[in-house]
Amino acid sequence: MTRGLSLWLDALRVAATLIVVFSHVAYARFTRGDYQFARDLNIGSDAVIVFFVISGLVIAFAAERDKTLGTYTFNRVTRLLSVLLPALVLTFVLDQIGRPMDASAYPDRFYQPLPLWDMLARGLTMSNEWGLFERVRLGTNGPLWSLSYEAAFYVLFGVAVFMSGLRRVVLLAGLAIVFGPRILLLMPAWLMGVAVWHFVKSGGAARMSTGPARLLAWGGPLAYVLCQAMNVPDTLAQLTADAFAPGHYRFILVFSDEFVWNNLIGLFTALHVIGMARLVQGYQGSHPHLRWWAGASFSIYVVHYPVLHLIDAAFPAETLARDALLFFGSVAAGLVFAQIFERPIAGVRAAVRAIAGRAGLSGRPRNQRHPQATLLPEMPAPRR
C-alpha cells in the first residue's frame, strides 16, 4: 500500500461522502428542486458503489495484516460499532427533538419511528436490510442501509478467507440465505475492490507503463460520464423492470434496483484505481488535511441525514441561506461527531481489550499496529 495510493483512496472517500450529502440536500422537500439534477442523475447512489469498491480493497489489505479470523473480526466490529452505536442514539434523539417541531419534515417515506431498543437491536446487528428479516428504516437514518450490505460483505469475505473445507461451504451457503439475494447482487462491485488490491499487491499496477495507466485512470470516469450522457442507467433500469414484470422491480430489489448499473460503476471505479495506483506509486506527499477529512468521512455519512431532517424542521423557511445550512451544517455535525467517536478508535480498542482481559475472555489481538489508520474506514457508504 503505497503512500500515493493511500492518499488517493482518501481523496475518493472524501469526494464520495460530500457527493452523498449534496445528493440528499438536493431532495425537493429540502431545497425546492433547485438541485434536481443531482437526484435525476442519482449521483448519491452511484457514490455508494465507489465506497464499496474502496471498502473491498481496504478490507482485503486489512485481512492480510490481521492474519487471523479473531483479529479480523475484532477490528471490523470495533471499527463499525464504535461509530454506529452513538450514531443510532443520536438519530433517535434528533428525531425526538425534530418531529414535534414539524411533523411534515418527517414524511412516512423517509421516517420510520422505532423504540430505541428496536433501533439499537436492528442497527447494531446491521440486519435492517438482510433478506431473512423484515426491512426497517432506522428512524430518519436511511443511509444506514449500506451498512447492512457492508457487514454482510465483511462476514462473507472473512469466512471465505479464514475458513476452509466443508465448514466454509456450509457457512457461506447459510449466510447467503440469511443476507438474501438483494445484498448479493451488489457484492460483485465490492469484490472488484478485492481484485484491485490483489492486482496491485502482485505488482500488476507497478509493471504498467504510463500510457495504459493514464488510459485506465481517465477512462473509468469518462466511461461513467459517457454512460450517463447516453442514458445507460435508464436503459438498464427498463431492462430490469421488464425482467421482473409483472412485479415492480423497485419494490422487489429496493436498494439493489440498479444492480447492473451499479456493478458497471464498480468496474469503472476499479479500473480508475488501478490506473491511479500506477500513476501515484512514487508520490511521497503527506497532506494531513486530506487525512483529517478522510478520518471523518464515516461519521459524516452516518449522521448527516438525521441532522438534515432536524434543520428542515427547525428552519422551515426555504431560502438559499438554509440550503447552505443544510449542507454545511450536516457536514459540520459529522466532523464534530468524528472528533468524539471516530478518531479515538485506538483508545476504544484498548478499552475493549482491557475489559475482555479482566473478564478472562481473550488477550490482545495480534497485529494491532495501524501504520495507515485512515485506510480503515469500513464505510459506507450512502444512497437515497
Side-chain angles (χ1 to χ4, degrees):
M1 181 67 71
T2 66
R3 181 187 295 270
L5 179 56
S6 171
L7 284 166
W8 191 253
L9 294 177
D10 280 346
L12 287 178
R13 280 172 41 214
V14 173
T17 301
L18 296 179
I19 287 172
V20 168
V21 175
F22 176 71
S23 74
H24 289 154
V25 171
Y27 269 116
R29 62 198 180 90
F30 290 137
T31 51
R32 309 163 303 281
D34 289 1
Y35 315 101
Q36 186 61 33
F37 71 91
R39 301 306 316 166
D40 293 339
L41 293 174
N42 212 15
I43 57 175
S45 297
D46 295 349
V48 173
I49 306 304
V50 175
F51 281 133
F52 281 173
V53 175
I54 296 172
S55 173
L57 189 159
V58 170
I59 296 304
F61 163 74
E64 293 181 1
R65 180 208 58 211
D66 293 338
K67 291 185 169 52
T68 69
L69 180 59
T71 303
Y72 173 85
T73 302
F74 177 83
N75 286 337
R76 304 292 78 74
V77 170
T78 52
R79 179 63 178 177
L80 288 171
L81 295 191
S82 64
V83 172
L84 185 54
L85 173 58
L88 289 167
V89 174
L90 180 65
T91 298
F92 181 82
V93 171
L94 294 184
D95 289 351
Q96 300 310 303
I97 294 173
R99 197 161 187 271
M101 289 183 181
D102 184 359
S104 66
Y106 294 78
D108 291 342
R109 180 185 170 193
F110 297 96
Y111 172 63
Q112 182 174 350
L114 295 173
L116 180 59
W117 69 268
D118 196 4
M119 181 178 289
L120 292 177
R122 293 300 299 274
L124 294 179
T125 57
M126 287 162 279
S127 60
N128 44 302
E129 293 291 338
W130 291 358
L132 202 61
F133 306 102
E134 181 184 3
R135 294 183 57 250
V136 296
R137 190 181 187 93
L138 301 172
T140 55
N141 212 329
L144 295 185
W145 72 268
S146 66
L147 291 190
S148 278
Y149 284 63
E150 288 274 358
F153 299 159
Y154 296 171
V155 172
L156 291 169
F157 182 75
V159 169
V161 168
F162 294 106
M163 293 185 179
S164 60
L166 182 60
R167 180 172 62 167
R168 175 168 63 183
V169 173
V170 171
L171 274 175
L172 287 175
L175 289 168
I177 294 172
V178 172
F179 297 144
R182 291 195 306 267
I183 285 179
L184 298 180
L185 285 173
L186 294 190
M187 194 168 186
W190 194 88
L191 291 174
M192 290 176 199
V194 176
V196 169
W197 167 245
H198 285 287
F199 182 77
V200 170
K201 182 190 68 169
S202 69
R207 290 190 295 269
M208 294 174 62
S209 59
T210 303
R214 286 176 176 165
L215 180 63
L216 293 179
W218 285 99
L222 287 175
Y224 172 81
V225 172
L226 182 62
C227 285
Q228 287 280 21
M230 296 174 63
N231 293 320
V232 170
D234 293 339
T235 301
L236 294 175
Q238 185 58 55
L239 292 173
T240 304
D242 294 342
F244 280 84
H248 197 298
Y249 77 105
R250 292 190 185 277
F251 289 116
I252 298 171
L253 299 177
V254 197
F255 292 115
S256 300
D257 59 342
E258 296 180 303
F259 70 94
V260 181
W261 169 238
N262 291 161
N263 286 308
L264 269 179
I265 295 172
L267 178 61
F268 299 154
T269 305
L271 294 175
H272 168 74
V273 173
I274 288 173
M276 289 304 302
R278 167 63 180 84
L279 296 178
V280 301
Q281 65 180 359
Y283 188 75
Q284 293 299 315
S286 57
H287 297 281
H289 296 301
L290 175 59
R291 295 289 199 193
W292 185 82
W293 274 95
S297 56
F298 189 13
S299 293
I300 294 171
Y301 181 78
V302 298
V303 304
H304 77 277
Y305 216 36
V307 173
L308 286 178
H309 284 81
L310 179 62
I311 293 173
D312 187 30
F315 301 94
E318 296 183 353
T319 63
L320 290 178
R322 195 187 82 143
D323 295 356
L325 178 61
L326 285 165
F327 181 82
F328 292 106
S330 58
V331 170
L335 293 175
V336 173
F337 184 92
Q339 202 66 28
I340 300 171
F341 298 107
E342 183 174 3
R343 301 191 197 279
I345 182 62
V348 171
R349 285 174 171 157
V352 172
R353 288 194 295 266
I355 294 171
R358 285 196 294 270
L361 297 177
S362 66
R364 175 189 174 95
R366 290 177 289 172
N367 305 304
Q368 287 300 306
R369 296 183 65 192
H370 301 306
Q372 307 238 351
T374 60
L375 280 181
L376 297 172
E378 283 95 87
M379 275 217 46
R383 170 184 169 118
R384 293 190 178 84

